[in-house]
Amino acid sequence: MDVASRGVGTTGSVDLTPLVDALPPGCVITDPDRMDAYRWDRANDPLAGVPLAVVRATCTADVQAVMRFATAQRLGVVTRGAGSGLSGGASAVAGCLVVSTERMRAITVDPSSRTAVVEPGLLNAEVKAAAAEHGLWYPPDPSSYEFCSIGGNVATNAGGLCCVKYGVTGDYVLGLTVVLADGTAVELGGPRIKDVAGLSLTKLFVGSEGTLGVITRIVLRLLPAQRPRATLVATFASLDDATGAVLAVTRGLRPSMLEFMDRTSINAVEDLTRMGLDRDAEAMLVIQSDEPHTHAAQEIEHIGELCRASHAVEVFTTDDPQTGEAFTVARRMAIPALEKKGSLLLEDVGVPVPALGALVRGIEAISRAREVLIAVIAHAGDGNTHPLIVFDPMDADQSARAQRAYGEVMDLAIALGGTITGEHGVGRLKKAWLPNYLGPDALELNRRIKDCLDPSGILNPGAVF
């Protein structure tokens, strides 16, 4: 059943007084100018609506009060972290309640169990900093780690640059507190490495994009502090040589980072940073090893040999942390740099690593056919790419061509045995391609789970499904 047929999001004359009375003073915002900041995430969904109210929750009990009120009034609820999402998953729906977790910022680190109990409003960088105070490390590192929330990371099962070796957000989530559509707060998992009692419900909510419940507390697994990293940067005269090098490296090695940038993204970053990147290179790989010191040097040396065998034009290596970090920052700067060239449609397709070359070449062909600029950056070591379609929103014809290219890139990824999203989530921008990716049986199973946990369809209406 779709959202409209359920009546979700239609408000009529809703009296917010019971909700305001149930919450601490100042939690509920209804001023349109103040609510405007809560309507969009970084995807800038043009269809984002004006909410009925924004609730800046302070604790699980606040969220429970919101959900009980929303269920009674049949109001849609969109949960929002830092608004850094790139798929429209936090876009407001007209007449909904936006639940902002920005004020839920508690954290407790337990060094003895190497765990942290955190609330969803903390930024990823703040979790990392709190862990580092105890000589520990929280590995998942989206490029937006300095301004994305940990709750949003869990909601989308975010990845990052070190996923090739250390995995994604879900690999570090041991437990959750989740508020369901009816206001029930359920405790799932806990600070235990092994726990197979009952169904794996914790994993069900990780990556569910606010469609099954509202996450209010997270138990995270931490690791000992990462060792110093050695860095290799290799440039290539052809895309095929670069993707061939990726396959050569991943066939036998497990670096802690293996990132790809094409010529367009290299030049965009160079325009912004003036750090001396090779503007003539068709592709650049940034690779790191965090093995113990002598082993890191050996691994980087071996990777360098593989890159040269794949016809690298230049191979540069360093064990200087600052120099290595400068290249990591350059890779993280790709999206902001390209945003200066025009509006972006940002893809998140992933394929098996052996299909990476075919994906990159296929995207190049789509770019030519549709006459739109598509830059490609990638977490190449795990096959997760971010094609960035640059267009002028004031040019109707170019915008239409960009939209067609956006869909064709996802169709290409599916044809290559890949996925429409590796870490950003389906949100609202990619949901049209979800049925083709999942197939009818898996899609129906998804819908049955959604309907069981959210029978009125009030949780993030219009997202994913």
Side-chain angles (χ1 to χ4, degrees):
M1 186 181 297
D2 62 29
V3 169
S5 65
R6 295 179 180 185
V8 174
T10 56
T11 61
S13 55
V14 177
D15 181 9
L16 291 173
T17 304
L19 178 61
V20 173
D21 290 345
L23 297 170
C27 283
V28 180
I29 299 172
T30 57
D31 177 71
D33 290 337
R34 293 183 64 194
M35 290 196 299
D36 204 49
Y38 296 86
R39 290 180 60 195
W40 294 276
D41 58 16
R42 285 183 76 198
N44 292 316
D45 180 4
L47 301 179
V50 178
L52 174 67
V54 173
V55 179
R56 300 172 70 217
T58 65
C59 61
T60 297
D62 289 354
V63 177
Q64 289 181 279
V66 173
M67 295 312 307
R68 290 174 185 137
F69 180 82
T71 295
Q73 299 291 333
R74 299 182 67 82
L75 296 173
V77 176
V78 175
T79 308
R80 177 187 180 87
S84 63
L86 294 162
S87 62
S91 297
V93 175
C96 76
L97 298 176
V98 171
V99 175
S100 170
T101 62
E102 64 190 310
R103 298 170 72 182
M104 300 177 69
R105 297 178 42 78
I107 181 169
T108 303
V109 177
D110 180 6
S112 61
S113 64
R114 291 213 308 256
T115 61
V117 179
V118 308
E119 290 186 334
L122 278 170
L123 302 183
N124 179 295
E126 293 173 320
V127 175
K128 288 182 181 296
E133 291 178 3
H134 299 273
L136 298 172
W137 178 41
Y138 176 67
D141 62 339
S143 290
S144 57
Y145 79 101
E146 291 179 316
F147 55 89
C148 63
S149 74
I150 199 70
N153 291 174
V154 174
T156 59
N157 199 10
L161 279 65
C162 70
C163 291
V164 62
K165 183 173 184 177
Y166 290 102
V168 298
T169 299
D171 297 313
Y172 296 87
V173 177
L174 298 176
L176 296 172
T177 300
V178 182
V179 177
L180 304 180
D182 65 0
T184 302
V186 293
E187 303 285 343
L188 304 171
R192 301 172 290 278
I193 300 301
K194 290 184 176 181
D195 186 347
V196 297
L199 298 178
S200 184
L201 296 180
T202 302
K203 297 298 183 183
L204 176 64
F205 285 93
V206 175
S208 62
E209 301 187 47
T211 63
L212 302 181
V214 181
I215 296 167
T216 61
R217 175 179 163 274
I218 307 153
V219 182
L220 296 174
R221 179 170 68 97
L222 305 176
L223 298 183
Q226 187 180 26
R227 291 178 290 263
R229 291 155 289 172
T231 301
L232 177 146
V233 180
T235 56
F236 297 84
S238 82
L239 294 174
D240 292 337
D241 288 344
T243 56
V246 170
L247 193 56
V249 171
T250 57
R251 186 179 289 119
L253 298 171
R254 196 182 181 194
S256 59
M257 188 175 80
L258 204 176
E259 295 293 306
F260 169 97
M261 298 172 66
D262 73 352
R263 184 172 186 169
T264 301
S265 57
I266 292 168
N267 277 273
V269 171
E270 180 62 14
D271 288 343
L272 193 62
T273 65
R274 305 294 181 184
M275 64 182 291
L277 300 179
D278 183 356
R279 289 187 178 274
D280 295 324
E282 287 297 319
M284 181 174 76
L285 299 180
V286 182
I287 307 174
Q288 291 187 333
S289 172
D290 64 356
E291 292 296 305
H293 183 68
T294 56
H295 296 288
Q298 292 170 1
E299 185 171 56
I300 286 294
E301 181 180 0
H302 188 186
I303 291 170
E305 293 169 356
L306 294 172
C307 288
R308 293 184 185 95
S310 297
H311 313 296
V313 174
E314 182 181 6
V315 175
F316 168 79
T317 63
T318 180
D319 59 5
D320 177 68
Q322 291 184 330
T323 303
E325 182 61 18
F327 284 102
T328 303
V329 170
R331 163 58 186 84
R332 294 189 193 277
M333 288 294 293
I335 294 176
L338 284 155
E339 284 176 328
K340 295 184 178 297
K341 307 295 182 182
S343 292
L344 298 184
L345 285 172
L346 197 153
E347 304 261 15
D348 178 39
V349 294
V351 293
V353 176
L356 181 64
L359 177 65
V360 172
R361 279 299 182 194
I363 292 169
E364 185 180 49
I366 291 170
S367 176
R368 286 197 303 268
R370 297 298 165 213
E371 298 181 319
V372 292
L373 180 64
I374 307 180
V376 180
I377 56 177
H379 308 305
D382 55 36
N384 184 197
T385 70
H386 298 315
L388 306 162
I389 303 171
V390 185
F391 68 102
D392 178 1
M394 303 306 294
D395 184 330
D397 179 64
Q398 188 180 90
S399 296
R401 286 185 277 112
Q403 290 289 346
R404 289 189 67 182
Y406 185 74
E408 288 170 348
V409 169
M410 282 186 275
D411 291 338
L412 172 64
I414 294 171
L416 292 171
T419 176
I420 62 174
T421 176
E423 59 185 7
H424 293 168
V426 174
R428 289 170 174 79
L429 301 191
K430 302 170 196 161
K431 64 181 179 179
W433 290 268
L434 187 64
N436 188 33
Y437 169 66
L438 288 179
D441 294 336
L443 180 62
E444 175 60 22
L445 183 57
N446 273 257
R447 289 189 181 279
R448 287 165 65 184
I449 294 170
K450 164 72 170 172
D451 289 344
C452 179
L453 291 172
D454 182 21
S456 296
I458 65 172
L459 285 163
N460 212 359
V464 183
F465 305 107

